[in-house]
Amino acid sequence: IIKGHTVIPYAELYGCFRKTDVRNDSVVWDMYSDRPEGTPAYLYIYGKGQECGNYNSEADCFNREHSFPKSWFNDAPPMESDLFHIYPTDGYVNNRRANYPFGETSSPSWVSSNGSRVGPSSLSGYSGVVFEPIDAYKGDFARTLFYMAVRYYGEDVMWPGSGMVSGAQPKPWAMDMLLVWHRKDSVSSKEISRNNA
């Protein structure tokens, strides 16, 4: 069903986000700044010219976040513009995430305005630096990585991977964590609407 999808040019993703990642009143649904249980520190509005550019801190602009980092697949097509793993996110937080694996950290070196964290992994099986999104979106990101593993199964043999994945396949520590995230943060109407769009 998902193999051989229609490739969308990378430059057109901002236009796609207006249908896939939009809240009420044209607000960008940014999982790196959103606070589902409260008021976000800042919002982005589609059509207000806040696509990145340059940024020095949070709330400067938003850009296209490859939740499965480009360096993990050599920045190659069609993964480079596969909308299922690319989200609009604050440029500064995206930059702080860098190409670190998703993970959990109990001693963060940096925390974003919505509580996303960067720091050393607190899970056994991986000791490097990780990026931990807030609990409300952990399931979304887990299912995104599962999508990559299924969609590119067999096509990922030459991918460099990372400390989190071999090709597109999660390593054992990551698989265990992602399954927990998936179970604790079940599929939301936001996620269904995005996939349908």
Side-chain angles (χ1 to χ4, degrees):
I1 293 172
I2 61 177
K3 187 178 175 77
H5 66 271
T6 300
V7 176
I8 299 170
Y10 188 67
E12 294 180 15
L13 294 182
Y14 282 122
C16 294
F17 291 157
R18 292 173 182 243
K19 295 178 181 176
T20 59
D21 297 271
V22 62
R23 299 177 68 104
N24 297 331
D25 302 323
S26 300
V27 173
V28 177
W29 204 317
D30 171 8
M31 294 190 287
Y32 286 178
S33 65
D34 185 46
R35 287 180 163 169
E37 304 301 322
T39 304
Y42 54 89
L43 296 170
Y44 294 115
I45 308 295
Y46 286 113
K48 298 293 185 183
Q50 289 180 299
E51 290 91 354
C52 287
N54 298 312
Y55 48 84
N56 295 309
S57 60
E58 283 192 68
D60 286 346
C61 61
F62 71 95
N63 62 9
R64 296 159 289 194
E65 159 69 320
H66 291 79
S67 60
F68 192 102
K70 296 188 291 183
S71 63
W72 297 5
F73 57 79
N74 286 326
D75 199 11
M79 298 76 66
E80 66 175 345
S81 65
D82 188 335
L83 188 57
F84 276 95
H85 81 105
I86 303 174
Y87 297 94
T89 63
D90 178 84
Y92 187 77
V93 181
N94 184 352
N95 181 260
R96 296 302 300 254
R97 190 266 166 122
N99 63 354
Y100 296 133
F102 287 119
E104 296 180 9
T105 180
S106 57
S107 53
S109 58
W110 181 80
V111 179
S112 75
S113 65
N114 85 331
S116 297
R117 301 144 61 101
V118 174
S121 174
S122 58
L123 299 175
S124 62
Y126 185 71
S127 59
V129 175
V130 297
F131 179 86
E132 181 176 1
I134 61 172
D135 291 347
Y137 295 119
K138 285 179 176 175
D140 300 61
F141 288 118
R143 288 179 287 276
T144 297
L145 267 65
F146 293 152
Y147 161 81
M148 293 297 286
V150 173
R151 167 62 184 88
Y152 296 105
Y153 181 74
E155 299 177 41
D156 60 353
V157 292
M158 299 303 292
W159 293 10
S162 70
M164 184 174 198
V165 294
S166 295
Q169 310 310 308
K171 293 183 176 179
W173 75 267
M175 179 63 82
D176 292 344
M177 177 194 74
L178 293 171
L179 285 170
V180 169
W181 287 10
H182 159 68
R183 292 178 184 124
K184 286 186 174 180
D185 174 31
S186 59
V187 177
S188 64
S189 58
K190 176 252 190 226
E191 193 174 356
I192 293 170
S193 296
R194 183 183 203 273
N195 287 340
N196 288 341

